[in-house]
Amino acid sequence: MANLIIRPVETKKDRKVFIDLPFRLYADDPHWVPPLKSEALGLITPEKNGWFSHAKAQLFLAEEDDRVVGRISAHIDTLALTMPPEQGFGPGVGQWGLIEAERQDIFQALLARAEAWLREQGMTRALGPISMSIWEEPGLLIDGYDHPPTIMMGHAKREYRGWIEWAQYRPIKQLMTYEVDVTKQFPPIVQRIIKSGEKNARITVRNVDKTKFEEEAAIILTILNDAWRDNWGFVPLTPPEIKDVGVKLKPIVFNDLIRIAELDGKPVAFMITLPDLNEAIKPLNGSLFPFGWAKLLWWLRKPKVRTVRVPLMGVVKELQASRMASQLAFMMIEYIRRASVENYGAKRAEIGWILDDNQGMRSIAETIESRVNKVYQVYERTL
């Protein structure tokens, strides 16, 4: 411990070392999915991540005897500061994330340095882990270590939970993912609801049109910001973020896996489903060279996957308390279930994350006989 140094990340070389550390720490974990290093670098590089248009961050490395043994990010989202405090963020709330460490003493030293930076910036409360936007990988995995995460979900060492709680952080919110066998028909009650919806001339459920990517994205964003605006942790997506997300996700956007529901011709709900890219990138060990590019491009032509993930769905606020909301959800889920099995060979789907207090979505997930397969926890502490 006497030789431990916590220092800020300042150079391109530092950022590379920051990204490389988990590859060593998780080398023996069969369920960790190595991210593409180019993508991981983009996340922490302000010029490549639209989130930095309304946020700032400081990365830190822990070194011991000239060897990197830990890392952490401390960050402040100026939009999060304007959110209502009862929704999780609000004035004075900073965040930390991307934490990795060889030992508990290193972990505690990194937390202390991140907290000190947040205090220096005038923050009075810390939330974590959030890496780095709430729309990326929020929460610490606390249940579901025995299988790999799907695309855009995180993984962590079991001991991290105890280390965070030892530092007097208390749980504030749980985020859950549900898994369901998509090769099976949904229960009869769900089928009846779907058939009833199909007889309703007011309802249309359509595929997105990837050739009109920006127009379709705008429709989905409008519904998303309306549907999620009162949710815990909500921070509106900004145009720079939307542009960056579009570039990243467009290669894995397929018309039949994303649906928009219309009522009387007006878009009122959406569901986004993605083939699990993690299945394709895991064997690449973070690199597209020398043959990773070719393998990935071949896979993207028409992916065949075991798992698809539903990262986002939403129904406009005015319908959320109505039976129509669940009917539209069931219709979209069923149509995408069929497409994922018939066209992509999927066997299972992962839905989420879903907030622990989102009873509407949890009820829908349970009605289609899905079960919780992973739980992520966000912690808070007064600074």
Side-chain angles (χ1 to χ4, degrees), residues 227-242:
W228 283 52
R229 68 175 187 264
D230 295 330
N231 285 3
W232 183 93
F234 174 76
V235 178
L237 284 166
T238 61
E241 289 173 281
I242 296 163

Side-chain angles (χ1 to χ4, degrees), residues 56-176:
K56 59 181 177 179
Q58 179 60 64
L59 309 178
F60 296 96
L61 290 170
E63 295 178 333
E64 193 173 57
D65 298 325
D66 296 323
R67 181 169 166 270
V68 175
V69 292
R71 72 176 201 183
I72 196 171
S73 66
H75 41 274
I76 298 169
D77 186 328
T78 59
L79 288 181
L81 297 178
T82 69
M83 295 293 106
E86 61 270 19
Q87 287 181 226
F89 294 135
V93 178
Q95 298 134 53
W96 53 264
L98 299 174
I99 189 166
E100 302 287 356
E102 288 188 2
R103 304 187 309 267
Q104 183 174 0
D105 59 327
I106 300 168
F107 196 97
Q108 303 302 334
L110 285 163
L111 272 180
R113 186 64 189 91
E115 291 169 349
W117 184 85
L118 291 173
R119 287 192 200 95
E120 291 165 7
Q121 306 299 312
M123 299 297 102
T124 56
R125 187 165 149 252
L127 259 63
I130 296 176
S131 306
M132 295 167 64
S133 159
I134 192 69
W135 296 104
E136 287 158 358
E137 292 184 7
L140 176 80
L141 181 68
I142 62 167
D143 189 25
Y145 301 98
D146 60 346
H147 55 287
T150 55
I151 178 176
M152 299 169 65
M153 295 301 294
H155 190 64
K157 293 182 175 292
R158 291 175 184 266
E159 53 264 38
Y160 287 179
R161 180 180 186 178
W163 294 356
I164 290 174
E165 293 174 1
W166 188 90
Q168 299 183 326
Y169 276 84
R170 70 178 186 91
I172 187 174
K173 186 61 60 178
Q174 286 190 347
L175 319 173
M176 304 173 180

